[in-house]
Amino acid sequence: MKKILVINAGSSSLKYQLYDMSDESVLAKGRVERIGMDTSIIVHEPKDREDLRYVEEVLDHTAAVRVVLQKLTDPEHGVIGSIDEIDAVGHRIVHGGEKLTQSMIIDDHVKQEIRRLFDLAPLHNPAHLMGIMAMEANLPGVPQTVVFDTAFHSTMPPMSYMYPIPKVLYKKHMVRRYGFHGTSHQYVSEQAAKFLNKQIESLKIITCHIGNGASVTAVKDGQSFDTSMGMTPLEGLMMGTRSGDIDPAIVPYAMVKEELTVNEVNSMLNKHSGLMAISGLSSDMREITDSMDSDPNAKLAFDMFEYRLRKYIGSYVAALNGVDVIVFTAGIGENSVVLRKQVCENLTYLGVKLDVERNAVRSGEDRRITTDDSTVQVLVIPTNEELMIARDTHRLLDQ
Amino acid sequence: MIFKKIGVIGGGTMGQGIAEMLSKKGLDVYLVEKTEQLLEQAFQMIEISLDKQIEKWAITGTEKKLILSRIHKITDKSKLVEVDMVIETITENIEMKKRVFAELDQVTKPDIVLASNTSTLSLTEIASVVNDPGRVIGLHFLHPVSRIDLVELIRGLRTSEETYEQAKYFTETVIQKKGIMVFDSPGYVTTRLICILINEALHTLQEGVASAEDIDSAMRIGYDFRYGPLEMCDRFGLDAVLAAMEQMFREYGDLKYRPSVLLKKMVRAGNLGVKTGEGFFKYDRDGDRIQ
């Protein structure tokens, strides 16, 4: 078992990475964008060979998979001699619901269950299933696995995952908290334990995955105990264009006052809120921090973002009855020096002592940003969900 | 069945709405008008409609750009050779529609579905000018197209089973609206029933039974209508309602379709509803009612 292809299929895109598991190196990665249009964009970045970027018509996911396999085996841009060298395919799946709670090998039952969850993840699960079918059609006989964004959070106890609303909604319509970014939270919490040379079971960890979407997870005994995203990725932190937690009564109130439809109010909270709404400038944290000295709206957006994140960290300290490690990861978490600084400088009561110089270092390595005598360690760990999917696939097929 | 490029003939209210909705669903639209100027006008109206939706947070600026980029402005009908289906949305005039269909028959691929968005005219008669009338069907969308998820699939006398199946697949799977099957008959289901209700509301008003405001409140609150019948009439356009009633009166010959005198009078006075700012009620430029 050596070469594993990791696939992340969206509704009109397909991203891929081919791993050599003997040393966990990436042989090639790339993506097909704008599937279904005349001008699909294909990007292929092989190791030690020239990158490829061009436009052609890719009508559907099956055609996209064909393009990917062709590029991987291309005499000039390829990295393997034939598709027979691909030992397995691992798929990223956003929603596994209550039943699919760990990575597994795909069979009919798994596909059926992914389909049953279309209502809960209408943008993602149908696209994932198309990706699976397309792979099956092009690589018959090659084992395929699924790794779920929700799986890591399946260890949450009922008091974390239930909503205090009539239970019939849970029983009939699966309304409960599921959490997302699970693969990332799991990866960085495990890396954190390795970095500190400690058993993960001995640590109370709070992981902050702060990217365009953002969530915080309380990790206890190496397992997710609570996480900020809920039934959908809208709950929890303030994000680039998502509101995060608000008073639910605002929804019917705004619908009546502004005569909004269900779609409009959904789009308002998912695409027109967060940093974008408050700054009136951008949903991009870099632009916000670049402008906040001169622009009071950008400053307010930043302050709200940071304050809401810090409150979640505080509440998870209470959930865990303490904390040993706080981890920052993903786009903003890995790169925003000023966000980490403001969070840490307001957590001194916990024993967090920020090392300003360490925090200012920019690198792709796992690193500590607190002083040696800080009682709580704060780490920056670049996330790697694809590697996690490749590892899970490798493990499943070795069994 | 592949539906990727759709021709929309006519850039009026319905043509704009259908083009915008199709593009939102990710399809390429070939919007056809007689002149560049009419095309520009239609395109600007679509832009205004999308801007309104941004104001209501329904879409983002990026989504607007994407939607507009998929609408191609066409004056030369020969380009329609590339499309997978055509939806015609020109004025409700049987002779004009027949001319358009005869032309479409020449320029399109011979096996694609030719659909008309007519709300009252005979599909069977429109199809009579096409070589293979089996490929003609009615797709009656309701205004506003983006918000109303119903399409009447109208079978003319000679519409083929295959054409019907394709139209149903297009409606329910590609653009995800509910399609109902209707056999060719003046006014079909929606226009026939709603115009009768509006006409009856006009008689009620004319007889002095209740005020316009109260008639609308009765139906809005009493039967959970989004708009009362008189405001509905204002929104459709009084001239359009009158034309539909007259057409049904002619075709069925039944007195229940006789248009109310009040409707005729108001049309003659030029009070056509939302589009002229005044009908039974008054409206601002955005089409919102002035209370």
Side-chain angles (χ1 to χ4, degrees):
Chain A
M1 178 57 52
K2 287 239 177 68
K3 287 174 187 142
I4 291 175
L5 181 60
V6 175
I7 295 288
N8 184 353
S11 57
S12 64
S13 70
L14 188 115
K15 294 184 200 146
Y16 62 94
Q17 286 203 24
L18 183 68
Y19 279 92
D20 180 348
M21 292 312 283
S22 57
D23 58 357
E24 295 194 339
S25 64
V26 177
L27 295 175
K29 62 177 177 179
R31 57 189 188 272
V32 183
E33 288 169 8
R34 294 159 59 92
I35 295 172
M37 296 191 207
D38 291 351
T39 51
S40 306
I41 300 164
I42 293 148
V43 179
H44 176 67
E45 299 170 349
K47 187 177 153 191
D48 302 332
R49 291 193 157 192
E50 212 176 306
D51 290 357
L52 201 57
R53 181 182 285 263
Y54 68 102
V55 169
E56 80 172 18
E57 187 178 57
V58 178
L59 280 183
D60 59 10
H61 283 70
T62 311
V65 164
R66 224 176 290 135
V67 169
V68 171
L69 295 177
Q70 196 276 322
K71 293 298 154 249
L72 291 173
T73 54
D74 188 88
E76 214 177 308
H77 302 279
V79 290
I80 50 176
S82 113
I83 56 171
D84 299 337
E85 288 180 46
I86 298 171
D87 297 294
V89 180
H91 293 267
R92 178 218 177 195
I93 310 288
V94 162
H95 219 304
E98 275 198 320
K99 290 189 186 150
L100 307 176
T101 57
Q102 50 186 325
S103 303
M104 51 186 76
I105 295 174
I106 297 176
D107 58 19
D108 286 345
H109 166 74
V110 172
K111 280 188 272 184
Q112 219 173 8
E113 190 60 23
I114 291 172
R115 186 174 288 124
R116 205 175 66 87
L117 295 166
F118 278 6
D119 279 351
L120 286 181
L123 294 180
H124 295 101
N125 274 27
H128 298 328
L129 193 63
M130 278 195 280
I132 292 172
M133 308 286 233
M135 266 301 161
E136 283 180 341
N138 281 285
L139 288 178
V142 175
Q144 302 202 51
T145 65
V146 276
V147 178
F148 302 97
D149 275 19
T150 48
F152 181 57
H153 302 301
S154 65
T155 50
M156 284 195 290
M159 70 173 180
S160 298
Y161 73 67
M162 288 299 288
Y163 287 111
I165 54 175
K167 262 185 161 169
V168 62
L169 289 166
Y170 170 58
K171 288 183 188 145
K172 269 174 76 179
H173 305 295
M174 306 182 277
V175 176
R176 52 158 280 184
R177 309 183 68 253
Y178 295 96
F180 298 90
H181 299 139
T183 314
S184 175
H185 287 295
Q186 183 177 7
Y187 175 81
V188 299
S189 58
E190 287 175 10
Q191 285 295 117
K194 270 190 213 159
F195 181 88
L196 297 169
N197 237 331
K198 295 227 168 98
Q199 289 293 318
I200 194 165
E201 292 78 11
S202 69
L203 294 171
K204 293 171 177 171
I205 309 175
I206 296 173
T207 50
C208 309
H209 176 109
I210 316 292
N212 208 2
S215 65
V216 186
T217 298
V219 180
K220 186 164 131 183
D221 303 325
Q223 296 182 325
S224 172
F225 179 78
D226 200 352
T227 190
S228 60
M229 282 181 173
M231 183 176 97
T232 75
L234 185 56
E235 191 180 337
L237 299 173
M238 174 174 167
M239 304 174 218
T241 59
R242 285 176 239 170
S243 66
D245 295 339
I246 59 167
D247 180 344
I250 293 168
V251 175
Y253 183 80
M255 287 177 83
V256 169
K257 289 287 177 189
E258 291 283 324
E259 291 189 35
L260 301 179
T261 61
V262 173
N263 283 342
E264 285 162 356
V265 78
N266 250 328
S267 164
M268 176 185 89
L269 296 172
N270 278 294
K271 298 179 188 165
H272 295 263
S273 298
L275 289 174
M276 183 75 215
I278 300 301
S279 70
L281 179 72
S282 168
S283 60
D284 187 329
M285 183 54 103
R286 281 166 299 193
E287 281 186 52
I288 301 288
T289 41
D290 285 350
S291 322
M292 67 186 186
D293 289 338
S294 55
D295 181 342
N297 291 323
K299 178 83 172 81
L300 176 62
F302 177 84
D303 285 345
M304 286 172 68
F305 190 96
E306 183 277 328
Y307 176 60
R308 284 173 169 249
L309 167 60
R310 180 152 44 91
K311 279 204 294 187
Y312 255 103
I313 294 173
S315 72
Y316 285 171
V317 173
L320 297 172
N321 189 16
V323 62
D324 301 308
V325 191
I326 297 170
V327 183
F328 284 94
T329 191
I332 301 172
E334 290 167 31
N335 294 304
S336 180
V337 174
V338 52
L339 178 75
R340 293 194 304 252
K341 178 166 180 276
Q342 191 155 325
V343 169
C344 290
E345 283 178 352
N346 286 291
L347 293 177
T348 48
Y349 78 98
L350 277 178
V352 171
K353 277 196 203 164
L354 183 75
D355 183 317
V356 178
E357 275 171 34
R358 284 178 180 169
N359 184 43
V361 172
R362 292 183 189 274
S363 99
E365 303 288 312
D366 298 354
R367 57 200 187 270
R368 183 203 314 259
I369 58 167
T370 36
T371 60
D372 291 339
D373 63 340
S374 178
T375 47
V376 174
Q377 308 294 335
V378 180
L379 309 179
V380 176
I381 296 180
T383 192
N384 195 338
E385 291 159 274
E386 292 79 13
L387 177 59
M388 199 72 192
I389 294 170
R391 278 182 186 167
D392 265 18
T393 305
H394 192 230
R395 177 178 54 74
L396 278 168
L397 288 148
D398 260 3
Q399 279 168 5
Chain B
M1 276 175 265
I2 291 182
F3 293 103
K4 283 193 60 203
K5 297 176 181 166
I6 311 292
V8 174
I9 318 296
T13 312
M14 289 309 286
Q16 291 158 22
I18 291 170
E20 180 195 309
M21 177 275 298
L22 294 174
S23 174
K24 260 193 205 159
K25 299 282 181 188
L27 299 163
D28 275 296
V29 178
Y30 286 41
L31 183 62
V32 181
E33 257 297 355
K34 276 175 273 181
T35 66
E36 303 271 347
Q37 200 194 347
L38 286 170
L39 265 179
E40 261 332 301
Q41 238 170 29
F43 203 75
Q44 275 175 18
M45 292 304 288
I46 295 172
E47 273 203 77
I48 291 172
S49 153
L50 292 173
D51 284 338
K52 270 193 192 173
Q53 290 170 54
I54 293 178
E55 265 173 48
K56 282 222 155 179
W57 307 295
I59 57 169
T60 63
T62 317
E63 285 168 336
K64 174 187 158 185
K65 270 189 209 156
L66 254 175
I67 292 167
L68 290 174
S69 76
R70 284 194 286 260
I71 301 178
H72 311 282
K73 293 175 255 186
I74 311 278
T75 46
D76 175 8
K77 286 206 187 78
S78 66
K79 290 246 175 66
L80 291 173
V81 68
E82 295 170 22
V83 301
D84 307 309
M85 180 163 96
V86 175
I87 304 172
E88 166 279 315
T89 72
I90 66 163
T91 320
E92 285 284 277
N93 175 309
I94 189 76
E95 290 312 319
M96 285 167 72
K97 285 203 197 265
K98 277 158 82 175
R99 272 201 296 279
V100 166
F101 271 79
E103 216 178 327
L104 290 175
D105 198 27
Q106 300 302 314
V107 296
T108 57
K109 283 178 278 189
D111 55 342
I112 67 160
V113 172
L114 301 179
S116 171
N117 180 55
T118 179
S119 55
T120 51
L121 301 176
S122 164
L123 237 293
T124 312
E125 188 175 349
I126 293 173
S128 68
V129 299
V130 175
N131 250 327
D132 169 17
R135 67 171 173 141
V136 177
I137 193 167
L139 283 184
H140 183 216
F141 291 89
L142 302 185
H143 180 70
V145 181
S146 280
R147 266 177 111 124
I148 297 187
D149 286 331
L150 178 89
V151 180
E152 286 181 294
L153 308 173
I154 299 135
R155 300 183 75 140
L157 201 59
R158 296 168 73 182
T159 302
S160 74
E161 193 58 38
E162 196 197 337
T163 298
Y164 174 74
E165 285 304 325
Q166 289 210 23
K168 189 169 170 70
Y169 172 82
F170 174 79
T171 304
E172 302 208 319
T173 309
V174 181
I175 60 172
Q176 290 163 325
K177 293 184 186 284
K178 170 74 184 165
I180 61 159
M181 181 168 76
V182 181
F183 288 95
D184 192 9
S185 172
Y188 318 124
V189 174
T190 52
T191 310
R192 179 168 168 179
L193 298 190
I194 207 65
C195 285
I196 286 280
L197 176 73
I198 290 171
N199 204 40
E200 202 56 39
L202 292 169
H203 289 314
T204 314
L205 179 66
Q206 206 177 347
E207 289 164 20
V209 177
S211 69
E213 189 65 57
D214 284 353
I215 289 172
D216 268 22
S217 295
M219 300 309 284
R220 229 176 354 96
I221 301 165
Y223 292 101
D224 222 358
F225 279 38
R226 186 173 159 81
Y227 302 115
L230 299 173
E231 183 169 348
M232 236 186 258
C233 188
D234 284 345
R235 291 188 178 278
F236 293 154
L238 273 66
D239 50 340
V241 174
L242 178 60
M245 288 307 294
E246 282 174 340
Q247 170 75 5
M248 289 191 288
F249 188 37
R250 263 198 307 276
E251 292 278 333
Y252 290 111
D254 189 329
L255 278 181
K256 72 180 170 193
Y257 297 103
R258 189 177 61 193
S260 108
V261 175
L262 177 61
L263 180 61
K264 285 187 179 172
K265 253 197 267 182
M266 288 188 61
V267 171
R268 282 179 196 141
N271 289 351
L272 304 183
V274 173
K275 58 187 164 189
T276 59
E278 187 171 353
F280 298 98
F281 306 103
K282 291 195 165 111
Y283 302 86
D284 65 18
R285 266 211 205 147
D286 288 338
D288 292 327
R289 241 182 92 176
I290 302 166
Q291 296 294 347

